[in-house]
């Protein structure tokens, strides 16, 4: 079962963190445009991520919506026709929200550093520390805190919930 530890923080500007992320990274930056559609799902979150070339990934995941690092279980299925799959899932389950973002991805060991510019929300940093089979989430939490500190991101910047949740809040609550 694929698992990771995730952390999300609001940042002033993607460009302000890019040099620090690049200094930590083994590879990147990789620029990715993502169109995420969330569907009604009682067992967790179900989203279809469409890429600029029309391909996509159907992603099911479960994680707590709270501040700070959190363990996440996920499954991914790739598709060559994301638009058609979005149509089928929308009819079957109903859409729960949509998130448009430009992601700059860096890989630092087993940590994925995402610098995200989210339409309607602003700029964020997301870390995903990939866990080995049987590895405790606490180890990933320590790694997430270390990388967060190296990037100069403080605990006060951490946010709770997914981008789709933040977008669902009244517009007055989108900004810090």
């Amino acid at each position: 079962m694929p698992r990771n530890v995730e952390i999300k923080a609001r940042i002033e500007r993607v460009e302000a963190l890019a040099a620090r992320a690049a200094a930590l990274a083994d590879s990147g930056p990789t620029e990715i445009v993502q169109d995420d559609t969330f569907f009604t799902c009682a067992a967790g979150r179900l989203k279809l991520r469409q890429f600029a070339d029309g391909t996509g990934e159907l992603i099911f995941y479960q994680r707590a919506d709270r501040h700070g690092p959190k363990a996440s279980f996920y499954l991914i299925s790739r598709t060559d026709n994301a638009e058609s799959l979005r149509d089928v899932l929308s009819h079957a389950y109903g859409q729960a929200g949509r998130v448009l973002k430009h992601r700059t991805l860096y890989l630092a060991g087993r940590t994925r550093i995402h610098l995200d510019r989210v339409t309607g929300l602003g700029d964020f940093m997301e870390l995903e520390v990939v866990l080995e089979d049987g590895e405790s989430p606490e180890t990933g939490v320590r790694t997430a805190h270390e990388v967060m500190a190296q990037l100069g991101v403080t605990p006060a910047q951490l946010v709770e919930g997914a981008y789709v949740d933040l977008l669902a809040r009244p517009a007055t609550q989108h900004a810090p």
Side-chain angles (χ1 to χ4, degrees):
M1 282 183 205
R3 297 176 308 130
N4 62 24
V5 169
E6 299 183 15
I7 194 166
K8 182 181 298 164
R10 185 177 293 279
I11 59 175
E12 189 173 321
R13 289 180 26 258
V14 162
E15 296 80 8
L17 246 59
R20 289 183 193 158
L24 293 175
D26 306 315
S27 68
T30 302
E31 305 295 331
I32 309 166
V33 175
Q34 298 177 342
D35 178 351
D36 291 350
T37 303
F38 287 77
F39 302 95
T40 305
C41 179
R45 304 252 185 185
L46 183 65
K47 71 179 170 186
L48 176 64
R49 172 165 289 156
Q50 183 173 346
F51 300 107
D53 66 358
T55 64
E57 299 173 335
L58 183 62
I59 305 167
F60 170 75
Y61 66 97
Q62 296 173 321
R63 73 161 184 250
D65 287 327
R66 59 178 169 82
H67 282 67
K70 51 205 146 279
S72 176
F73 158 77
Y74 61 94
L75 297 169
I76 299 175
S77 179
R78 289 167 176 67
T79 180
D80 290 331
N81 190 340
E83 192 62 42
S84 176
L85 185 56
R86 176 183 292 112
D87 190 44
V88 170
L89 292 168
S90 296
H91 281 86
Y93 297 107
Q95 288 189 15
R98 199 152 179 185
V99 176
L100 304 173
K101 66 179 170 263
H102 179 272
R103 171 166 282 173
T104 305
L105 169 67
Y106 297 89
L107 300 176
R110 65 184 182 150
T111 303
R112 296 185 291 250
I113 302 170
H114 302 157
L115 302 181
D116 292 339
R117 178 155 289 141
V118 183
T119 302
L121 289 178
D123 292 0
F124 293 83
M125 182 265 334
E126 238 183 34
L127 300 177
E128 294 178 351
V129 180
V130 179
L131 299 174
E132 296 291 328
D133 285 341
E135 184 178 15
S136 77
E138 290 74 25
T139 305
V141 168
R142 281 194 299 277
T143 300
H145 280 298
E146 290 167 7
V147 174
M148 191 175 93
Q150 291 172 316
L151 290 171
V153 175
T154 67
Q157 292 173 267
L158 298 178
V159 296
E160 178 182 323
Y163 295 135
V164 71
D165 299 324
L166 298 176
L167 284 167
R169 295 179 184 164
T172 56
Q173 294 180 18
H174 289 187

